[in-house]
Amino acid sequence: MINNLKILVLVLGIFSLSSCEDFFDTVPDDRIELNDLNDLAELVTNAYPKGSYLFLEGMTDNFGAVPSNRQLTQMEEAFNWETISIEGQDTPTYYWSNAYNAIAHANQALKSLEHIKGDENRKKAIRGEALLCRAYAHFMLVNIFAKHYDATTAGSDLGVPYIKDPEMNLIVNYKRETVEVTYQYIEEDMLEGMALVSNEFYKNSGKYHFTREAALAFASRLYLYKADYPQCLNYSRQLLGKTYNANFIKDYKEVLEGQGPKGRAQVFCSPDDQSNLMIIRKKLGYQLYYQFGYRMTQGIAGTLYIGDSRSKNMWAAGADQSAVYQSKLEPLVKRASLTSSSGLPYTVQPVFRGEEVFFNMLESEKKIADSETDKANQIVLDDKLKAMINDFTVDRYNGPLTPPKDKDPSRMDPETYFFYVFADKIYRAKFPVTFPDHRKNKKYPKYISDKSTLDPNDMIENPDHDPEFVIWADEEMRIDDREILDLLIAEERRREFAEEGLRWFDIKRLKLEITHTNLAGDKKILTADDARKVIQIPLAAIANGIEENEINVPAEVESKLIRIKSQL
Amino acid sequence: MNPKPYKSMKKMRLSRIPILGGIRKKWLFAMKNFIILFFVFSLNLNANIMSQARVSLDLSDVSIKTLISEIESQTELGFLYNLSEIKDLDGISVEADDETVKEILDRVLEDTGLTYELDRNVIVIKPNPKPLNNIEEGKRTIIGTIIDDTKVTLPGVSVVVKGTSNGVSTDFDGNFSLEISDNGPVTLLISFIGMEPQEIVVTNQERLDIVMTSSSEQLNEVVVTTGYQKIDRRLFTGSAQKITAQDVKVEGVPDITSSLQGKATGVQVSNVSSTFGSAPVITIRGNSSINGNNKPLWVVDGVELEDLVEVSADDLTSGNLSTLLSSGVAGLNPEDIESFQILKDVSATALYGAKAMNGVIVITTKEGKEGRMTVNYSGSVAIKEKPKYSDFDIMDSGSEMSVYRKLADEGWIDMTTVARAENYGALGKMYDGILDGSVAWGPNGGLNEDFLEPYGRANTDWFDLLFKNSVTQQHAFSLSGGTKKSSYFASISYYNDAGYTIADKVDKYTATLRTRFKPTDKLSIGIKLAANVRDQQVPGTKNRSFDIMTGQYTRNFDINPFSYALNTSRSMRAYDDNGDLEYFRRGYAPFNIVHELNNNFVDIEVKDLSFQTDLEYALTDDINVRSTFQMRRATTMREHKIHETSNQAEAYRAAGTQAIIDGNKLLFKDPSNPNANAYTILPEGGFLNVSNDRLSHYYVRNTIDWSPKLGEDHSANFFLGNEVNITDRESFEDDIWGISYDKGSVVSTHDNLQKYLNALGQASFPTGISKDRRASVFATGAYTYQGRYIINGSFRYDGSNQLGKSNSARFLPSWTASGAWNLHAEKFMENVESVNHLKLKASYGFNGIMGPNTSAALAMFSGKTLRPTDNETYYYIAALDNEDLTWEKMYELNLGIDFAVFNNKITGELGYYNRKSIDLIDVISVSGVGGHQLKYGNVGDMSSHGWEFMLNTTNINAGDFKWNTSFNLNYHTSEITKLMNTSTVSEAVSNVGVPLKGYSHRSLFSVRFAGLDSKGLPTFYGENDEVVYDINLQNRDDITKILKHEGSIAPKYYGGLSNNFKYKNFGLNFGLVFKWGNKIRLDDAFKPYYTDYDSFSKEIGNRWMVPGDEELTNIPAILDERSYKVLGGANAYDLYNKSDVRVAKGDFIRLKDVSLSYHVNQDLLKKVSLNSGSISFQATNLWLLYSDDKLNGIDPEFYSSGGVSMPVSRTYTFTLNLGF
């Protein structure tokens, strides 16, 4: 009997304990287990932030009040540089969580890469892409949620948490690194990633991934933002070469051939387009919301795009057509269901474009030229810059290839003439006091026209032929031209990337002061060093121990929740 | 010698089989070949005739074996005997000429110490329990049989001579034989648990046939069937209630679970839909989890019953197709069910461990009993009554027309709006006719009154057109019987519901075979085969979706007949003057509900098979080893057939005018050609949407049950075992576009279909797999001293694959401790005669359950990128690793008093429970830095407590007339004590409530209505009590400041009252159920404007019409176009639907059932060769005695969610039961 019992217990025991581990290791559903490099590549495919930073556009000088538009809380808040209280699509919180979500995908891939075997080259390429993705998402986060990189204060300015490992627990306390450390990590990841990444393994165009070209564009942006101009130049040139490279500039004629706003946006964002270096699908409603809130107004667009072929991709919107938008983003919707009338709006956005690298290169060269002490060398550098700008503007403004007749032979140079068209027609004409055209002083042409025939001695006696004046005027003009060059680079950037979100980073980076007049008619100024240029950390993150940004905002008593319709 | 009394239909209750005693053993005989025997039994239907077999014999001085073989050769009778017992019986001489076997045996066996028993066609020869004539002087023997009031013999009844220790127990057939003193009368004490004890004075009788009556329903149980164990009630300390199917069965209702309503304490049942297959929402002692599935665990014959498709408790009210597959019990034949045992507290459910936190309902099905074969037929015919407009507050078509005219005046219905209207009714039809020239304008360019006149008086009765006074029938046929060595129960049943509406019907077939073999007296083998097949048709439906912007649920192409009848204009007609179907417009396409229901439906087919074996082996006298194995396979196929002529298919190709092309969102707008017109992607044919679900379930359990013999005062039971549960589910879906059913189901798919689906982001993921692996070990022990003091303890260790790899997540230990005190057995209570039974009990325990959305391990799934070009596969992280995630847990304290007083005339129970649920899983908002902003974590705590009270009284028991009352009342309340409030306003105002810290499990919140403004627009109070037209429904902060707390959606009080009258063979029953203390959100009824497609409640007639009305009414105005534009995006009307004026009390009292039954007299039965017969008539859901007037006739338990949901109807059932 006792024996029977023993046997029984034994049998029961064996039954219940044997292969216990295997039994409980059964995967509970059709979740994926990462087994090979294909799996990892597909995981990294999702390591790009799906949120959009286009809420930043509302904070720039590209936007104005559109009284006929229906107001949306988040757009009002953005325009007034207040902390955005809404958390859905097109908000800082949404970008924050989606960027970190992308990082989590990259980190998971990096972690799994350690123990998955396969083709070494492929492995390297995947690691490269994952590192670039991780760096990119952090880079965007630090530039939105922290102060701009400033070598003097970066060591103490708060950056963002830099995440290098997958999260394993329900609640993990993260701390913000300094801007310096954040940038350092970004740079490390980026450089390693750039060295490893390979275009070889991508299917299709590869434009939805970090290609080598996209990585160079990323480096170009990073070093520009970090004010490391030689490096910026280095990586920009690796992509574009040393001069203007039309192969990385969008052919606007092609864009304008698209059918209507949707068709043009399709061309604009197409992976086939040569200037699009990296495209990310973004869940955002921006491209649909032109009847809502503050938008680019007819007035702003009018001053931005004079005679510009880009203005032809401009569409009026809103009840009174006072809002305008460029069809750069195709309005796409994932319907809640086939028969549903609601759904999730999304679009695809080129986040790195050849034009940006071009402008980064221009700006870096300009900065390097600024530090050039030898005037002659500086003039050579400046002329090269002017030539490059000329090429770009001829394309965008559909300018004639041969320069119009001008008395000044330097302006007849087909390499640079368009720069002078700009300099004269826009800046000198518009700001005669800031940029006086000394050549319009009658002394100047007199001397120029006569100097070859005159005795040098005579010049001294004839005040109209004062060489000192000419030298002085030329020098003044040169200095003004250099300022105009700066302005032109900045303004062309603004024009080229309006409604793509990059303007905000320039406002921060270049310490621009901008003015907004809101619906109520209140004029508000965002100063050069305004604390509000840093976006507040999302509330949920603050609540969970992420240190908030110190932003002193004038307290305004306004319900963020209820909008009373006064006209009812 | 006394012949064995003829056994009448032996319908023994399972609960009466004493498991602990060894009574059965005495009567076990050696059997040469039990299988053959069983086979022989099964072939013969009428034992009566066999026993009358006659033989002619002429034998002298033979052994009894010779006699037996002689009889066997002449008859079809068989003999069973133990050779050693009959071997001495020689020298028999018999002469008989056409005598019955009975007569011969009586003669032969007289004074041999042997007797015989006639069991169908088998004669069992056995020792005579009556002692031979060697009794001591002055003693004599009295024999007898004890039966209960249903004529079932009672084994194990104690028969004791009063004042002595001289006593015996009855055997398995209820017989006893006792030596008593020959001098003078003696008094016998007859007692049996659950029966009224009797004292019988014996004078000179030799035989006593005693009928015992139940002391009360409640104490009727000798054993408690926990599903794992049949445990002696005396050792049981938990809170459990047994309900016999007979007591609660609502005839004609295919799902017996709904009838538990109001019958059991602590069990709250809401019959949310009456469509076949949809499960009622059942909670036991409220909800223990905030977001988890609060459904109780169903156990059938010891094995967990998995639902065909997993549907969360909240989704039971969704009206989605999957709700029809949510009830596992629907597949059972109600006639097979013997009883329910409801296990409520942690002590009772201890053995189930981490799946029973919400209580357990154990169903025991019928088994064959030893005895002759009984054949039962039960048939019922039920008629469901159509709903009537008079029950609801809906306008007639004349009044509707006047509202439509008003709409026309306001600019909502005119030539231009009709041209682009998605839906239109009579007025639209007129304009459409004018547009194409077939109808003329009215005088002066006004409405064509001649055209409209027939619609104005149409008064279409949609209920009448779409519903039927349908007949459902149910037939069940069963055979059962057995011998000492084997028993069987076999049943088949057929259920047919011809349809409550013209669009639904059900056929259900079940077959069950349960057999038990006892090859030796130690081994018992049970085999059960069960199968059921269901064919069902329901109206075509898609799943509903929740629009977070408006806080409303929408369901496209909903053709639910009930919703349709309630919400559709009565001025539209189903048939025109010529009797042809008349079409109006819906989804830009022609629509007629009758046509649609005939051409757009879902076929559901369920095939469900299970095999179960139960092995039981008596290792020793007091150790039993048992092993149970079950395998189950169920496949469910749903085919949504949308025919080519249906509105749903036509809507995909409605492109008649430019306005429709622009408006019809179902057309394909080719992204590569943005300026071109949209076109149809379904040029011909309809749809076939198929979904298949497959369930495979394996279950193994091994247990050891030890009841050591510890002497008279001590009794104990130890139980230990293990179990393994494997459940795999697979689902597969496919949509076929362009199928032409009329052309032999040829499929023509449009070339651009994939592009179309991609453009809308509708690439689907048609397969799903879920694998559940659980294994557990458990042990429990119970001890009682003199039946007075009982202690109980249990421990269980569960493991699961659901929560990932960390030990804290993978394994869960649970335990309970409990005790009870039988106060009535104490000495000091002996003199308190009025108290028959008084028991105090207490239990405390810890249990857990797998929470919702449990993924402790990294969960990654694949998807297809959503891009215009360059699409590829990607993986996404659905849930991050969460090593902290663990089971939801609960501590429960349970206190109870059971009592019976005044000769058991009043019995009752009072229970109290207090539950602390901890580690409840809910969404928590984290920093988002790890990759997910919202995560699931064990962040919630909830405490709840409740009282349960039950009273059963025998009010009158006067001979032929008997009146019993049973009443129960329950109180339950809960409070969430810890939770991160992350709900939005739109979630909080939804009709299923929202969990918030500081409130009950699910509380209903409302927008605070601030009256109508001077234009009849609804206004509300905002965050700071300012008056507004618009509230951001997405807001998550301060929702308690913006909203008003209405109360819990779960009732505070609920219960039932039933009365049972018996007069001779007649029985009359009526049962009331009631609930109060909860709130209900009324259906969304108000819009800023309407179309001529909508019906109106009469309330609309009282709407704001002229300035000043705002003082008189709360019904908002129908806006004119200008005001509507001014209102802009303000969601005032959505808010009005979610405001505090649109909330009703959920209180109700319902006369749930009334039944009248008649049991045919035994005399009469004999004449027609029947063993039993009864007829009954039952009316269910007869009358809602009280409910809030605001509900306007809508059943307070019903969620009007469209789809396949249908309110519970008034039903009349006629039932016939026959036993052969």
Short mmCIF file of all heavy atoms in Angstrom, two decimals, chain B residues 207 224 383 407 409 414 538 567 669 682 703 768 788 791 811 840 913 960 1034 1108 1132 1168:
data_model
loop_
_atom_site.label_atom_id
_atom_site.label_comp_id
_atom_site.label_asym_id
_atom_site.label_seq_id
_atom_site.Cartn_x
_atom_site.Cartn_y
_atom_site.Cartn_z
N ARG B 207 -42.43 -4.82 9.48
CA ARG B 207 -41.82 -4.07 8.39
C ARG B 207 -42.24 -2.61 8.51
O ARG B 207 -43.39 -2.31 8.81
CB ARG B 207 -42.30 -4.64 7.06
CG ARG B 207 -41.70 -3.93 5.89
CD ARG B 207 -42.10 -4.52 4.56
NE ARG B 207 -41.51 -3.64 3.56
CZ ARG B 207 -40.25 -3.75 3.16
NH1 ARG B 207 -39.53 -4.73 3.60
NH2 ARG B 207 -39.75 -2.89 2.31
N VAL B 224 -20.86 18.76 -0.64
CA VAL B 224 -20.69 19.95 -1.43
C VAL B 224 -19.78 19.56 -2.57
O VAL B 224 -18.70 19.02 -2.36
CB VAL B 224 -20.05 21.07 -0.60
CG1 VAL B 224 -19.82 22.28 -1.46
CG2 VAL B 224 -20.93 21.39 0.58
N ILE B 383 -43.58 30.63 -26.75
CA ILE B 383 -43.96 31.70 -27.67
C ILE B 383 -43.45 33.01 -27.12
O ILE B 383 -43.68 33.35 -25.96
CB ILE B 383 -45.49 31.75 -27.85
CG1 ILE B 383 -45.94 30.47 -28.53
CG2 ILE B 383 -45.88 32.97 -28.68
CD1 ILE B 383 -47.42 30.35 -28.69
N LEU B 407 -38.59 70.58 -40.20
CA LEU B 407 -37.22 70.43 -40.67
C LEU B 407 -37.06 71.03 -42.05
O LEU B 407 -36.04 71.65 -42.37
CB LEU B 407 -36.83 68.94 -40.71
CG LEU B 407 -36.55 68.28 -39.37
CD1 LEU B 407 -36.47 66.76 -39.53
CD2 LEU B 407 -35.26 68.79 -38.76
N ASP B 409 -38.82 73.47 -43.21
CA ASP B 409 -38.83 74.92 -43.01
C ASP B 409 -37.46 75.41 -42.56
O ASP B 409 -37.02 76.49 -42.93
CB ASP B 409 -39.85 75.31 -41.91
CG ASP B 409 -41.27 75.08 -42.39
OD1 ASP B 409 -41.43 74.86 -43.61
OD2 ASP B 409 -42.19 75.11 -41.55
N ASP B 414 -34.54 69.87 -48.36
CA ASP B 414 -35.06 70.53 -49.55
C ASP B 414 -34.38 69.90 -50.76
O ASP B 414 -33.65 68.93 -50.63
CB ASP B 414 -34.85 72.04 -49.50
CG ASP B 414 -33.38 72.44 -49.38
OD1 ASP B 414 -32.52 71.65 -49.85
OD2 ASP B 414 -33.09 73.50 -48.83
N VAL B 538 -28.27 35.35 -37.91
CA VAL B 538 -28.60 36.63 -37.29
C VAL B 538 -28.44 37.72 -38.34
O VAL B 538 -27.80 37.50 -39.36
CB VAL B 538 -27.70 36.94 -36.06
CG1 VAL B 538 -27.98 35.99 -34.93
CG2 VAL B 538 -26.23 36.91 -36.44
N ASN B 567 -35.85 53.43 -34.06
CA ASN B 567 -35.21 54.65 -34.53
C ASN B 567 -35.59 55.08 -35.93
O ASN B 567 -35.12 56.09 -36.41
CB ASN B 567 -33.69 54.50 -34.46
CG ASN B 567 -33.21 54.24 -33.06
OD1 ASN B 567 -33.70 54.84 -32.11
ND2 ASN B 567 -32.28 53.32 -32.91
N LYS B 669 -10.97 56.96 -54.08
CA LYS B 669 -10.35 58.16 -54.62
C LYS B 669 -8.90 57.81 -54.87
O LYS B 669 -8.12 57.64 -53.93
CB LYS B 669 -10.50 59.29 -53.59
CG LYS B 669 -10.15 60.66 -54.09
CD LYS B 669 -11.36 61.60 -54.00
CE LYS B 669 -11.00 63.01 -54.44
NZ LYS B 669 -10.90 63.18 -55.90
N LEU B 682 -16.23 48.21 -56.03
CA LEU B 682 -17.07 47.00 -55.99
C LEU B 682 -18.09 47.09 -57.13
O LEU B 682 -19.28 47.26 -56.89
CB LEU B 682 -17.78 46.90 -54.64
CG LEU B 682 -18.53 45.61 -54.34
CD1 LEU B 682 -17.58 44.50 -53.96
CD2 LEU B 682 -19.54 45.83 -53.23
N THR B 703 -5.63 13.66 -8.34
CA THR B 703 -5.81 14.03 -6.94
C THR B 703 -5.78 12.80 -6.04
O THR B 703 -6.07 11.69 -6.48
CB THR B 703 -7.16 14.74 -6.71
OG1 THR B 703 -8.21 13.87 -7.12
CG2 THR B 703 -7.24 16.03 -7.49
N GLY B 768 -4.93 35.24 -35.63
CA GLY B 768 -4.61 35.50 -34.24
C GLY B 768 -4.42 34.17 -33.53
O GLY B 768 -5.07 33.18 -33.86
N ARG B 788 -18.70 19.55 15.58
CA ARG B 788 -19.03 20.83 16.19
C ARG B 788 -18.06 21.92 15.76
O ARG B 788 -18.45 23.02 15.45
CB ARG B 788 -18.99 20.69 17.72
CG ARG B 788 -20.28 20.20 18.30
CD ARG B 788 -20.26 20.28 19.79
NE ARG B 788 -19.48 19.20 20.38
CZ ARG B 788 -19.14 19.15 21.67
NH1 ARG B 788 -19.47 20.14 22.48
NH2 ARG B 788 -18.46 18.14 22.14
N ILE B 791 -12.21 23.06 11.21
CA ILE B 791 -11.21 23.96 10.65
C ILE B 791 -10.77 23.42 9.30
O ILE B 791 -10.83 22.22 9.02
CB ILE B 791 -9.97 24.16 11.56
CG1 ILE B 791 -9.37 22.81 11.94
CG2 ILE B 791 -10.32 24.99 12.78
CD1 ILE B 791 -7.99 22.95 12.50
N PHE B 811 4.49 32.65 -11.12
CA PHE B 811 3.86 31.78 -10.13
C PHE B 811 3.08 32.57 -9.10
O PHE B 811 3.44 33.69 -8.76
CB PHE B 811 4.93 30.94 -9.42
CG PHE B 811 5.67 30.05 -10.36
CD1 PHE B 811 6.98 30.33 -10.72
CD2 PHE B 811 5.05 28.95 -10.93
CE1 PHE B 811 7.66 29.52 -11.61
CE2 PHE B 811 5.72 28.13 -11.81
CZ PHE B 811 7.03 28.41 -12.16
N LEU B 840 -21.95 28.97 12.79
CA LEU B 840 -21.20 30.20 12.54
C LEU B 840 -19.98 29.82 11.73
O LEU B 840 -19.34 28.80 12.02
CB LEU B 840 -20.74 30.83 13.86
CG LEU B 840 -21.81 31.15 14.89
CD1 LEU B 840 -21.14 31.77 16.12
CD2 LEU B 840 -22.83 32.10 14.30
N TYR B 913 -19.16 39.75 3.65
CA TYR B 913 -17.81 39.60 3.10
C TYR B 913 -17.14 40.94 2.97
O TYR B 913 -17.80 41.96 2.80
CB TYR B 913 -17.84 38.87 1.76
CG TYR B 913 -18.69 39.56 0.71
CD1 TYR B 913 -18.14 40.52 -0.13
CD2 TYR B 913 -20.03 39.25 0.56
CE1 TYR B 913 -18.91 41.16 -1.08
CE2 TYR B 913 -20.81 39.87 -0.38
CZ TYR B 913 -20.25 40.83 -1.21
OH TYR B 913 -21.02 41.45 -2.14
N ASP B 960 -52.31 18.33 2.05
CA ASP B 960 -52.21 18.48 0.61
C ASP B 960 -51.68 19.84 0.21
O ASP B 960 -51.24 20.03 -0.91
CB ASP B 960 -53.59 18.29 -0.03
CG ASP B 960 -54.00 16.83 0.01
OD1 ASP B 960 -53.11 15.98 0.16
OD2 ASP B 960 -55.21 16.56 -0.13
N GLN B 1034 -11.79 65.29 -24.48
CA GLN B 1034 -10.51 64.59 -24.34
C GLN B 1034 -9.81 64.91 -23.04
O GLN B 1034 -8.78 64.33 -22.73
CB GLN B 1034 -9.57 64.97 -25.50
CG GLN B 1034 -10.11 64.57 -26.85
CD GLN B 1034 -10.70 63.20 -26.81
OE1 GLN B 1034 -10.02 62.23 -26.50
NE2 GLN B 1034 -12.00 63.09 -27.06
N GLY B 1108 -38.70 81.64 -24.66
CA GLY B 1108 -39.55 81.52 -23.49
C GLY B 1108 -39.76 80.07 -23.12
O GLY B 1108 -39.92 79.72 -21.95
N ALA B 1132 -22.50 70.74 -28.15
CA ALA B 1132 -23.57 70.89 -27.17
C ALA B 1132 -24.57 69.74 -27.19
O ALA B 1132 -25.02 69.28 -26.14
CB ALA B 1132 -24.29 72.22 -27.41
N VAL B 1168 -51.35 4.19 -18.16
CA VAL B 1168 -50.76 4.46 -19.49
C VAL B 1168 -49.30 4.05 -19.53
O VAL B 1168 -48.56 4.47 -20.40
CB VAL B 1168 -50.91 5.94 -19.88
CG1 VAL B 1168 -52.37 6.29 -20.11
CG2 VAL B 1168 -50.31 6.84 -18.80
#
